[in-house]
């Protein structure tokens, strides 16, 4: 790509910096044209964890203009956060949360301004984000923060930039009606407007990626998709009418289907293509558990509806193994490859 791809370091106390350093070591061709937005000292510490036999050097960039001059097998880092020193691994801290948030905002603004092609975000810790206080504490995660940045860039209210989360791997894609909220709130978020909006966003974004209109399956909210109203009527009064409205607009949508079987029907396995290109799930865990069960190593989180390309690994900060050198960079590499494909659309 003519423009660089930005990778934010994530929470410096987690595995984000380590998987970034490992990705540059293990797949330098995939990371060509990528720059890390983070803390130089943190990335140098991470590079030493993945050293075999020597750690990759870390080059500090003053601006994106310096990226073409970085030699091969070197990690280019844009210092865009203030850390008083190295934070301890595996510990929630306001300092780490603020540093992660600062990197996200800076990188998002560069992509929105057209200075970079896409954004890949390493994992952040939501408790650390909340502990940071101030503006950062107002966001439960990446998605909401990026939504706010996009709205400000476009001069719109946040609600005027609807976004959805998609988790995808080679076998399954799923898009969520609601994201980070309690289960009680998520059930209340299953409304006609939210379901129809999710179907429209899914049709547009997944269709652009595939190059053809996607076949969308919709999971029910209740067991057995309500069993004709015996276990709940949301399928009859909310979800089915939204599906009918989407079909009237020309979208290829089917359902609602029993949520315990629809993901199996959509799965693309070797020698057995799935019946659908994507499943719309009603809430966070309903959609994410099936994809993550197939393997977090290749899973990619994609934010749909933004005026920028954003992907991320489908795992978290893994505080329990941070600093041990055992983190796997596969999901980050998959996120980088996905970002490149989407940015080329």
């Amino acid at each position: 790509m003519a423009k660089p791809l930005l990778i934010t370091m994530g929470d410096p106390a987690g595995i984000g910096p380590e998987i970034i350093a490992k990705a540059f070591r293990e797949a330098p061709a995939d990371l060509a044209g990528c720059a890390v937005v983070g803390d130089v000292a943190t990335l140098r510490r991470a590079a030493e964890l993945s050293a075999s036999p020597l750690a990759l050097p870390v080059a500090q960039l003053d601006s994106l203009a310096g990226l073409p001059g970085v030699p091969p097998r070197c990690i280019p880092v844009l210092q865009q956060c203030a850390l008083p020193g190295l934070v301890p691994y595996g510990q929630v801290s306001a300092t780490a949360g603020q540093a992660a948030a600062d990197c996200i905002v800076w990188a998002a603004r560069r992509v929105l301004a057209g200075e970079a092609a896409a954004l890949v975000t390493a994992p952040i810790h939501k408790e650390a984000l909340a502990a940071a206080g101030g503006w950062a504490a107002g966001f439960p995660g990446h998605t909401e923060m990026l939504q706010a940045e996009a709205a400000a860039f476009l001069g719109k209210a946040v609600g005027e930039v609807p976004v959805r989360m998609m988790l995808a791997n080679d076998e399954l894609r799923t898009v969520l009606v609601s994201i980070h909220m309690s289960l009680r709130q998520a059930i209340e978020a299953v409304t006609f407007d939210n379901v129809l909006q999710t179907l429209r966003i899914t049709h547009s974004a997944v269709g652009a990626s595939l190059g053809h209109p996607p076949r969308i399956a919709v999971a029910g909210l209740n067991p057995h998709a309500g069993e004709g109203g015996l276990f709940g009527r949301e399928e009859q009064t909310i979800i089915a009418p939204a599906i009918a409205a989407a079909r009237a607009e020309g979208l290829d949508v089917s359902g609602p289907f029993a949520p315990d079987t629809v993901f199996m029907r959509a799965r693309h396995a070797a020698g057995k293509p799935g019946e659908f290109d994507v499943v719309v799930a009603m809430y966070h865990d309903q959609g994410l558990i099936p994809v993550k069960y197939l393997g977090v190593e290749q899973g990619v989180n994609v934010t749909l509806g933004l005026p920028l390309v954003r992907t991320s690994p489908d795992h978290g900060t893994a505080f329990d193994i941070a600093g041990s050198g055992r983190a796997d960079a596969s999901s980050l590499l998959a996120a980088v490859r996905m970002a490149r494909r989407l940015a080329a659309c």
Side-chain angles (χ1 to χ4, degrees):
M1 291 185 293
K3 295 179 181 178
L5 186 151
L6 301 181
I7 305 173
T8 56
M9 72 171 177
D11 191 301
I15 64 169
E18 179 185 344
I19 60 175
I20 291 170
K22 282 189 174 181
F24 273 92
R25 172 175 291 282
E26 295 171 3
D30 288 334
L31 276 292
C34 294
V36 181
V37 180
D39 175 64
V40 171
T42 297
L43 265 296
R44 285 180 175 150
R45 177 176 69 171
E48 293 172 359
L49 282 176
S50 59
S52 63
L54 297 173
L56 291 183
V58 173
Q60 180 170 348
L61 301 182
D62 294 326
S63 69
L64 285 171
L67 182 58
V70 175
R73 302 193 67 78
C74 184
I75 305 172
V77 179
L78 291 143
Q79 180 74 42
Q80 294 300 330
C81 61
L83 283 174
L86 293 172
V87 300
Y89 281 120
Q91 295 182 22
V92 174
S93 75
T95 301
Q98 187 64 60
D102 289 342
C103 293
I104 296 162
V105 169
W106 188 91
R109 290 176 180 175
R110 302 289 80 72
V111 180
L112 286 166
E115 298 170 26
L119 175 62
V120 177
T121 58
I124 59 174
H125 199 288
K126 293 175 177 57
E127 281 187 56
L129 201 63
W135 64 268
F139 302 102
H142 278 110
T143 304
E144 296 82 1
M145 189 180 297
L146 294 172
Q147 181 186 29
E149 285 299 315
F153 176 79
L154 296 171
K156 296 182 176 181
V158 172
E160 295 178 297
V161 185
V163 298
R164 293 296 186 273
M165 177 179 176
M166 178 175 77
L167 201 64
N169 57 30
D170 292 338
E171 298 178 76
L172 185 62
R173 301 179 189 90
T174 185
V175 178
L176 310 179
V177 170
S178 63
I179 308 176
H180 300 120
M181 57 181 63
S182 72
L183 183 55
R184 187 179 301 279
Q185 291 174 313
I187 293 170
E188 293 171 353
V190 178
T191 65
F192 174 87
D193 289 342
N194 283 346
V195 174
L196 180 56
Q197 188 177 70
T198 305
L199 294 173
R200 289 169 174 162
I201 292 172
T202 301
H203 171 81
S204 176
V206 177
S209 175
L210 295 177
H212 61 79
R215 300 166 298 164
I216 304 171
V218 180
L221 172 66
N222 297 297
H224 302 181
E227 196 73 77
L230 292 175
F231 308 138
R233 298 187 55 81
E234 286 85 357
E235 286 76 13
Q236 295 173 310
T237 61
I238 298 171
I239 301 172
I243 291 171
R247 286 177 178 160
E249 296 177 7
L251 280 62
D252 185 354
V253 185
S254 303
F257 297 113
D260 58 352
T261 57
V262 66
F263 298 98
M264 292 184 286
R265 294 176 60 184
R267 180 185 180 189
H268 292 258
K272 186 180 180 299
E275 296 178 44
F276 309 103
D277 297 305
V278 58
V279 178
V280 167
M282 292 299 112
Y283 56 93
H284 186 280
D285 286 8
Q286 183 190 58
L288 266 55
I289 288 172
V291 183
K292 291 191 175 186
Y293 181 76
L294 293 174
V296 296
E297 297 82 6
Q298 295 302 321
V300 178
N301 177 10
V302 184
T303 305
L304 308 183
L306 291 172
L308 60 85
V309 171
R310 180 261 172 160
T311 67
S312 74
D314 80 344
H315 57 72
T317 52
F319 273 8
D320 57 326
I321 63 167
S324 70
R326 293 186 286 132
D328 188 335
S330 298
S331 186
L332 177 71
L333 284 167
V336 170
R337 295 174 188 129
M338 175 77 79
R340 288 194 189 279
R341 291 198 299 270
L342 295 175
C345 292

